[in-house]
Amino acid sequence: MVSTSLPGGTWTLGDLPVTRFGYGAMQLAGPWVMGPPADHGGALAVLRAAVELGITHIDTSEAYGPHVTNQLIREALHPYPDSLHIVTKVGANRDQQGGWPPARDPESLRRSVHENLETLGLEVLDLVNLRLGDAAGPQPGSVAEAFETLVGLQQQGLIRHLGVSNATPEQVAEAQAIAPIVCVQNMYNLAHRQDDELIDALAEQRIAYVPFFPLGGFSPLQSSVLSTVAARLEAAPMSVALAWLLRRSPNILLIPGTSSTTHLRENIAGAALPLSDDDLAELDKIGR
Ligand SMILES: NC(=O)c1ccc[n+]([C@@H]2O[C@H](COP(=O)([O-])OP(=O)(O)OC[C@H]3O[C@@H](n4cnc5c(N)ncnc54)[C@H](OP(=O)(O)O)[C@@H]3O)[C@@H](O)[C@H]2O)c1
């Protein structure tokens, strides 16, 4: 067991205890997640602050930069505290235009797992998500070959736990029929509620749901209802959005992204915002 004063308490990913309030490292790379950060020292400071504030769950990918985010995590935090669990993902590369072409053939997946081990400075990856679909979202199609490749790497001892990302409910079920998963990481927030049923089904199975773009990603969440509720509570809309996610379901883990230590602290404080049943009912109207 770990104890935490972070909002939301803790969750166990497989056998790994983590704080429900985590940190998404994607924003640490350069513009559009390409190249190095403008402020290298600032990026290291955000990562160190996250751990000092008690966060034990950091989300990353070799594709961020590419390589940049993993290298920053290693520079800032290696050797890692035992309590810290770094979650990475494989299944997409970067092209010269900053696109995210799929890379889910067995050879690409094996290479990506080894690159993650190398850049993060680890012998075993705690949790690897198979990133599916494309930039437009989840796309149908079998995941069997790609997921079985990761299961093979898990059996070799290179990966502790597996998850899927940007996945349809059918793909989640297909992966689960092959091997256990401990999380699903899909786009979800106050305004994008397409996974409501999936979240509830995963909660019953004690599987984590980790929303990406919890604050809207590259287009910050905007809603008059959200602004009204936030104004009434004298809070920032982003605080309300994070607090709502923590209340939405106990299996939801937060990985809000930021390149700013100030924003990181604001988000931790904001996620603790108490929401009344009336607030929740009003917020519920946004994405339904
Ligand atoms: N599986 C996938 O396919 C996938 C896709 C996308 C993302 N992800 C993961 O999900 C994580 C979260 O997504 P995200 O970072 O793209 O989007 P996000 O968390 O929804 O939003 C991040 C944006 O919000 C801003 N922000 C954060 N806190 C703020 C605050 N208190 N005040 C004002 N602005 C604030 C950040 O800017 P500042 O830097 O200025 O704070 C950044 O532009 C990523 O870091 C990544 O690890 C996964």
Side-chain angles (χ1 to χ4, degrees):
M1 276 297 285
V2 286
S3 65
T4 179
S5 56
L6 290 170
T10 59
W11 178 266
T12 305
L13 279 170
D15 61 348
L16 307 175
V18 294
T19 50
R20 283 181 71 207
F21 195 104
Y23 171 67
M26 188 176 87
Q27 303 293 340
L28 294 180
W32 300 105
V33 203
M34 288 294 280
D39 179 2
H40 183 86
L44 299 180
V46 175
L47 286 161
R48 289 179 181 137
V51 171
E52 281 160 15
L53 291 164
I55 287 173
T56 64
H57 168 202
I58 294 181
D59 186 78
T60 185
S61 168
E62 187 66 18
Y64 298 162
H67 318 302
V68 170
T69 301
N70 279 1
Q71 289 164 349
L72 288 167
I73 291 171
R74 182 178 184 163
E75 184 180 349
L77 301 174
H78 196 279
Y80 304 113
D82 290 344
S83 58
L84 181 65
H85 300 295
I86 300 172
V87 177
T88 191
K89 63 191 79 68
V90 295
N93 276 339
R94 303 305 296 281
D95 61 26
Q96 294 296 323
Q97 291 71 43
W100 306 77
R104 296 195 283 272
D105 60 284
E107 185 47 38
S108 297
L109 291 173
R110 283 188 206 104
R111 186 168 53 243
S112 184
V113 165
H114 284 282
E115 282 176 357
N116 274 286
L117 288 166
E118 172 71 25
T119 50
L120 289 168
L122 289 167
E123 290 178 3
V124 186
L125 298 171
D126 277 342
L127 202 171
V128 174
N129 282 311
L130 173 62
R131 202 260 198 187
L132 300 160
D134 57 27
Q139 305 295 339
S142 174
V143 304
E145 185 187 40
F147 196 69
E148 282 164 3
T149 302
L150 294 186
V151 172
L153 293 164
Q154 184 180 38
Q155 287 165 351
Q156 285 175 38
L158 300 179
I159 299 173
R160 283 203 176 86
H161 297 292
L162 293 170
V164 290
S165 176
N166 212 23
T168 65
E170 293 74 23
Q171 288 167 332
V172 172
E174 188 188 14
Q176 287 185 287
I178 296 169
I181 60 168
V182 301
C183 72
V184 173
Q185 184 179 121
N186 276 4
M187 180 180 174
Y188 181 84
N189 56 44
L190 254 178
H192 292 89
R193 305 279 301 269
Q194 72 293 339
D195 273 351
D196 273 331
E197 277 182 31
L198 179 62
I199 290 169
D200 296 337
L202 293 171
E204 282 179 19
Q205 302 171 62
R206 297 285 303 160
I207 293 173
Y209 183 89
V210 187
F212 73 77
F213 293 164
L215 301 171
F218 297 103
S219 314
L221 279 175
Q222 286 185 332
S223 143
S224 55
V225 174
L226 176 59
S227 301
T228 304
V229 173
R232 192 170 64 227
L233 298 173
E234 298 181 359
M238 290 193 175
S239 300
V240 177
L242 292 174
W244 176 82
L245 280 170
L246 283 182
R247 283 287 299 274
R248 168 62 186 80
S249 185
N251 63 329
I252 288 188
L253 311 185
L254 300 186
I255 51 165
T258 181
S259 55
S260 149
T261 305
T262 304
H263 287 172
L264 176 67
R265 289 178 186 278
E266 281 174 14
N267 293 344
I268 291 173
L273 188 72
L275 297 174
S276 68
D277 289 345
D278 285 348
D279 297 330
L280 291 172
E282 208 169 334
L283 294 167
D284 210 33
K285 291 180 201 149
I286 296 174
R288 291 268 191 194

